Amino acid sequence: MDARRRPLIARATAVWEQVADWLLAAGCLLFSLALYMRTLAPSVAALYDDSLEFPLVAQRLAIAHPTGYPLYTLLARLVSLGRGSDVAWSVNLLSALAAAVTVAMVYLVARTLAPRRRLPALAGALALAVSPVFWSQAVVAEVYTLNAAFVAALLWLALRWARRPLRPVRPFALLLARPAGRGPLFLPRPGLWVRMPPGVRRAGRRARLAYRRLLPAVQPARRLQPHRLIYLLAGVYGLALAHHRTILLLAPALLAFVLLVEPRVLSRGALLGPDQQERPRWQQLARKPIVLLLVAGVTPLLLYLYLPLRGNVGSLDGTYRNTWGGFWQWVTAGSYGAFFADNPLARDLDAAFYGQLFWQQFGPMGLALALVGVVALARSRRSRPVLALTGLSFLAFLAFALVYRVPDVEVFFIPAFLLVALWLAAGLDDALRLLRPRGASPAIRRLQAAARVALVLAAVAQSVWIAASTYPDVDLSRRWIVHEWGLYALDESQPAGEGTIVGLLGEMTLLRYFQETVGAAPWLETVVADDEAARRAAVEDALAGNGTVYVTRPLPGLADDHALDAVTGMIDVLGDLETLIQVGDPGDEARPIPRPAPEAAEPVPGLELLGYGVHEHAADWQAWARLRLWWRAPVGLEVPLKVSARLLAPNGQMVAAVDAEPVAGMYPTTAWRPGEVVVDAYELPLPAGLPPGDYTPLLVVYDPATGAEQGRIELGPVALAAHPALPPRRARESALAHLSGARFRDLALAGWTPPSPDVAHRAGEPLPLTLLWQARGPVAGDWQVSFFLEGAGRQVPLGREPVGGYYPTAGWQEGQAVSQWPALRLPAGTPPGDYRLVMRVERDGRPVPWGWGWVPRGSDFQLGRVSVGN
């Protein structure tokens, strides 16, 4: 190497060593932020969750649930400024930013635990970034990622402080200091002091003696100065305590770490510091380390003054009391003591659940490396303070999460997951040290080098596999259902004048959020009533005001005194059936009927269908057809009836169905009054890729006790538009039996549901089959698909039809998803036995080979197995 270039290389290497960790930490931040932004919820993502509360709290600058979370509320308000109606997205973004900062801080902390090389620290940061529970909290408006960021920051500051816990006292400053005297302490100048009344002078002397008793002078030989980083550590701890109370669990570990690293920091000489006689006494007092520590730690707690300052706004549930007792109970979360006892909402969990929880976050490789890391820290005497810091913190957070009985207990393990990720980095670093190439044999050195590479690849592959399997569950980028339900309910409930809607806190919070962010339905008053008795009383009070009244869920006894009409029907929001029901007088005029019913529309004697209406609405990839029915029982009904509302495709295939008692189960037919017109509604979830066309509503009335059909009515066809969006993987997994990435050139099979192999089909019976296609490019030409059975040395053809069925590929657009329900029927004379159901796609009469990606696998695609019986 040229001698002139060596200094440049050495200088560049030195610069790289100085900035490499900061650059890699920034890379961790940007990578994780891009990942979280890709999966970020676009709006409110849950109905009964804190992630719905915080956007409205930020919008109002209200008070969040205990402990109030003043820091989080102010930060949420800050990030949402200028976003207009996107408050929920902005607060979700705050969680993503905090999570990304946490990942970057974990890398920096891991570099302290794994000082030999940077790759283990990157592996630890990656393991935490893609752990399912942490990732799930990074995409919604929640407080846990910011709390994790504080935990990581405190660990990093403590480890940085441990490098130089004390600063030397400047000896020349002591030599130049003025001699100690009896100067005044917080007193006026000496001349004025002599003229003070004797009582004032006595009080001043007592104050000076108390000061000296509390903060006595320190001998020069014992004078110490803590490093200034400890004040930053105290300030960050105070900020963390202004955010989440579980940061208290970190205090014992930090104290033990300080005592193990440098116990003199807590001595009188360090806490009081040297006297600086050249300065006034008040400056000496203000500059003493113990005073600075108290100021740094306590000042951030002044953020809790936000609660009394915003006490006039209050909390969303209205339970905050703007008194000293109410403030103290809110800040200390006194009402949450029940979560340490028998909480009825808590899950009954065992040790296997908690073990599986850690397994899901890091996998076997990650947990094994974390164990190696603990052993490595324990083996080194210099690392034992670090083991005490991380180990005591882990035990404290673990113990709290084990005894805190809440439904979402997983999120309280996030600090423990963070510590496991740090141990993982330390373990990988120590394992690479043990496997470093050494020895006389070249073969052994090559084997050790190969083992090091394999270990690194296995650790990274573990995280990649966890990320790939977690992605469908945490990807909320298309989670619009809660957002759309709120706007839909407000839009559909518009009366002629003012109105009132009564429901649970989560439902009303959602509606209030849209009222205050986008100005939806300003005429509608929302009333929170979680208890049934309170809900009934609120309904009666609202009815007394002569306005339109709605309720969101069944209320026992309401149908005995009032007439009920369904407004929106039912939408499945996180597993709960949500509805909107109008409460009124039986004599109120019914809403106009869009379509008259067919003649003699009487499925059951005494039950008349006067008319119906169909309205299609969508939310991103989801769509529904709201079927509204106008019923009348001229003389009343004495038997309960249930309705199955179905939607039939042009080929007769049933594509959607909802079963329920009238008016979402709130208004049984036995409660109908003679001659009353009852408006019923059903939200039929349309399958993904539903082709455009005319669909026929079918009503089947049956006995809910026996399931026996009592009658049916087929209504006139209605035109529905195309639903082209491909749903996310999680939704496809719940709707289809198999997912697929098979490509037929410009056509992809996204998934399918074959006939059940456990059912023995007979000759002449139909074979149910659902296919979901997607156009991955311009789909031109005549595409056909054939189906046949193979087995026992024979091939049984089942049928041939265009790809897309009644919606052929000629009308498809690039990227469009299309569902198909082939009309398959077993031919007469099909021999009994087990067969393979095979599909063959043809374009312009020629078979199209399929493959994974661009690798061809053949022309025939196996869909499943079919059992044919006698």
Side-chain angles (χ1 to χ4, degrees):
M1 181 182 297
D2 189 351
R4 292 175 298 180
R5 300 176 61 183
R6 290 178 182 173
L8 295 176
I9 296 176
R11 192 175 305 151
T13 303
V15 172
W16 166 253
E17 290 298 326
Q18 292 177 355
V19 303
D21 286 336
W22 295 105
L23 292 177
L24 291 175
C28 290
L29 187 148
L30 294 176
F31 167 78
S32 55
L33 182 60
L35 182 66
Y36 302 145
M37 289 286 291
R38 175 62 184 83
T39 55
L40 192 70
S43 182
V44 288
L47 193 57
Y48 305 105
D49 196 84
D50 294 344
S51 63
L52 174 61
E53 174 195 12
F54 286 119
L56 184 56
V57 167
Q59 172 69 17
R60 288 185 178 180
L61 278 179
I63 297 175
H65 66 275
T67 57
Y69 303 100
L71 177 62
Y72 184 85
T73 301
L74 294 174
L75 290 175
R77 179 63 173 175
L78 180 63
V79 299
S80 62
L81 290 177
R83 293 296 303 178
S85 62
D86 291 338
V87 177
W89 183 88
S90 301
V91 185
N92 296 341
L93 177 62
L94 175 61
S95 295
L97 289 170
V101 171
T102 303
V103 174
M105 294 303 303
V106 164
Y107 168 79
L108 294 175
V109 178
R111 278 292 289 144
T112 305
L113 274 64
R116 299 180 183 88
R117 50 191 65 84
R118 297 183 175 88
L119 191 58
L122 289 173
L126 176 64
L128 177 68
V130 300
S131 58
V133 174
F134 182 77
W135 192 351
S136 69
Q137 299 305 297
V139 296
V140 295
E142 268 293 4
V143 298
Y144 303 107
T145 57
L146 183 58
N147 183 55
F150 277 120
V151 172
L154 289 170
L155 294 175
W156 182 72
L157 288 172
L159 294 173
R160 293 282 294 185
W161 166 84
R163 296 179 178 181
R164 195 174 65 171
L166 293 173
R167 292 189 304 150
V169 177
R170 293 176 295 177
F172 295 105
L174 298 178
L175 292 176
L176 298 177
R178 292 185 305 175
R182 300 184 60 181
L185 172 68
F186 307 123
L187 300 178
R189 58 185 181 274
L192 182 60
W193 173 245
V194 173
R195 297 194 297 270
M196 287 286 179
V200 175
R201 293 201 298 268
R202 284 194 299 271
R205 283 193 291 269
R206 292 193 188 98
R208 184 177 61 196
L209 292 175
Y211 162 73
R212 274 304 182 192
R213 209 174 292 118
L214 180 64
L215 299 174
V218 180
Q219 297 297 325
R222 299 180 57 194
R223 293 173 182 175
L224 300 171
Q225 283 184 326
H227 194 275
R228 293 175 180 175
L229 203 58
I230 200 169
Y231 306 129
L232 181 59
L233 180 65
V236 173
Y237 190 87
L239 274 177
L241 193 55
H243 172 60
H244 206 278
R245 63 173 178 165
T246 57
I247 205 68
L248 290 171
L249 301 171
L250 196 60
L254 288 173
L255 180 61
F257 181 72
V258 169
L259 292 175
L260 289 173
V261 171
E262 182 51 88
R264 292 182 299 169
V265 172
L266 300 180
S267 67
R268 189 167 66 95
L271 293 178
L272 301 181
D275 278 354
Q276 297 174 332
Q277 299 292 343
E278 73 280 5
R279 299 179 182 273
R281 284 286 177 84
W282 72 269
Q283 289 189 15
Q284 294 184 43
L285 177 64
R287 294 171 65 90
K288 286 188 177 295
I290 188 171
V291 175
L292 293 176
L293 284 173
L294 289 175
V295 170
V298 173
T299 300
L301 299 182
L302 296 177
L303 286 169
Y304 279 107
L305 293 177
Y306 170 88
L307 273 66
L309 292 176
R310 299 298 293 176
N312 61 317
V313 179
S315 58
L316 299 188
D317 59 1
T319 58
Y320 176 76
R321 294 180 292 109
N322 202 20
T323 62
W324 168 248
F327 168 79
W328 185 249
Q329 184 180 20
W330 206 266
V331 170
T332 58
S335 60
Y336 283 14
F339 292 157
F340 293 99
D342 294 329
N343 180 12
L345 300 178
R347 294 175 291 170
D348 188 13
L349 306 175
D350 54 13
F353 167 81
Y354 297 111
Q356 185 67 21
L357 181 62
F358 280 87
W359 187 280
Q360 292 169 353
Q361 311 309 308
F362 302 101
M365 176 61 67
L367 294 180
L369 289 174
L371 182 60
V372 173
V374 173
V375 174
L377 293 176
R379 190 173 59 245
S380 173
R381 178 172 297 182
R382 295 180 59 185
S383 300
R384 287 175 186 172
V386 179
L387 179 61
L389 175 63
T390 57
L392 291 177
S393 302
F394 177 82
L395 293 176
F397 287 117
L398 181 66
F400 178 83
L402 290 176
V403 301
Y404 199 57
R405 295 177 55 80
V406 290
D408 57 342
V409 68
E410 294 90 345
V411 297
F412 292 95
F413 283 92
I414 287 179
F417 297 153
L418 185 152
L419 293 162
V420 172
L422 295 176
W423 290 338
L424 186 155
L428 181 58
D429 184 66
D430 192 63
L432 293 177
R433 178 188 64 84
L434 295 174
L435 291 173
R436 68 181 184 274
R438 60 184 182 274
S441 173
I444 294 179
R445 291 198 298 271
R446 287 193 295 269
L447 182 63
Q448 290 172 332
R452 285 160 59 95
V453 173
L455 181 62
V456 172
L457 291 178
V460 174
Q462 179 80 84
S463 296
V464 172
W465 181 85
I466 291 175
S469 58
T470 300
Y471 190 91
D473 294 327
V474 299
D475 182 15
L476 302 183
S477 59
R478 300 171 68 182
R479 181 75 180 181
W480 287 100
I481 184 170
V482 179
H483 176 277
E484 295 298 330
W485 183 85
L487 291 176
Y488 181 53
L490 291 174
D491 180 64
E492 292 297 317
S493 59
Q494 183 172 3
E498 295 183 354
T500 303
I501 183 169
V502 181
L504 304 185
L505 176 61
E507 300 160 343
M508 298 303 100
T509 300
L510 178 64
L511 301 185
R512 290 169 178 175
Y513 169 78
F514 287 115
Q515 285 181 319
E516 298 184 21
T517 57
V518 300
W523 46 265
L524 185 65
E525 179 185 0
T526 56
V527 177
V528 174
D530 289 343
D531 181 71
E532 286 187 355
R535 198 152 60 245
R536 180 62 184 271
V539 169
E540 298 298 339
D541 291 343
L543 287 172
N546 297 323
T548 306
V549 181
Y550 303 92
V551 293
T552 60
R553 56 191 51 252
L555 191 56
L558 190 61
D560 296 338
D561 303 321
H562 304 286
L564 308 178
D565 290 331
V567 178
T568 63
M570 297 174 291
I571 297 179
D572 189 0
V573 179
L574 293 183
D576 298 316
L577 291 178
E578 300 301 325
T579 189
L580 196 62
I581 300 167
Q582 180 177 341
V583 184
D585 186 86
D588 291 345
E589 183 178 353
R591 297 192 177 195
I593 301 176
R595 295 168 177 249
E599 295 183 4
E602 191 174 359
V604 175
L607 177 63
E608 299 177 351
L609 180 66
L610 303 179
Y612 67 99
V614 178
H615 171 67
E616 183 181 8
H617 60 100
D620 195 52
W621 59 270
Q622 297 166 311
W624 299 267
R626 186 193 62 207
L627 176 62
R628 187 171 290 172
L629 308 172
W630 277 255
W631 297 105
R632 182 175 63 189
V635 295
L637 293 170
E638 297 181 355
V639 293
L641 297 173
K642 199 170 183 178
V643 177
S644 175
R646 305 174 184 179
L647 199 63
L648 305 181
N651 62 357
Q653 174 75 33
M654 184 176 66
V655 297
V658 169
D659 285 32
E661 291 190 31
V663 193
M666 280 191 62
Y667 206 19
T669 54
T670 53
W672 294 4
R673 296 161 181 84
E676 175 189 357
V677 176
V678 177
V679 183
D680 199 5
Y682 300 85
E683 296 288 348
L684 296 165
L686 302 180
L690 183 73
D694 292 337
Y695 293 84
T696 303
L698 174 66
L699 304 177
V700 178
V701 180
Y702 63 96
D703 184 350
T706 63
E709 181 178 333
Q710 304 297 312
R712 61 174 57 197
I713 302 175
E714 187 173 296
L715 304 177
V718 293
L720 298 179
H723 185 37
L726 183 71
R729 183 181 181 87
R730 186 177 183 181
R732 280 181 280 144
E733 287 177 340
S734 62
L736 300 169
H738 302 281
L739 301 187
S740 171
R743 291 284 298 270
F744 297 82
R745 294 184 184 173
D746 294 328
L747 194 65
L749 181 64
W752 77 95
T753 300
S756 174
D758 299 328
V759 176
H761 301 273
R762 292 180 173 84
E765 289 184 349
L767 287 179
L769 176 64
T770 300
L771 304 173
L772 180 60
W773 303 98
Q774 187 185 27
R776 303 299 292 271
V779 185
D782 180 24
W783 292 75
Q784 301 285 326
V785 58
S786 302
F787 303 92
F788 47 89
L789 298 178
E790 287 183 345
R794 61 172 57 88
Q795 188 179 88
V796 181
L798 297 177
R800 186 171 185 267
E801 61 182 55
V803 173
Y806 55 88
Y807 184 53
T809 56
W812 294 14
Q813 303 295 324
E814 185 174 351
Q816 181 174 359
V818 176
S819 288
Q820 181 177 358
W821 299 274
L824 306 182
R825 189 174 296 273
L826 279 174
T830 304
D834 291 333
Y835 296 86
R836 296 186 302 273
L837 177 59
V838 179
M839 175 182 70
R840 181 180 300 161
V841 177
E842 299 175 353
R843 179 183 180 184
D844 297 330
R846 296 181 180 179
V848 178
W850 70 274
W852 306 113
W854 297 104
V855 180
R857 297 289 301 273
S859 298
D860 295 343
F861 186 88
Q862 183 173 332
L863 297 171
R865 304 193 68 86
V866 175
S867 175
V868 178
N870 294 318

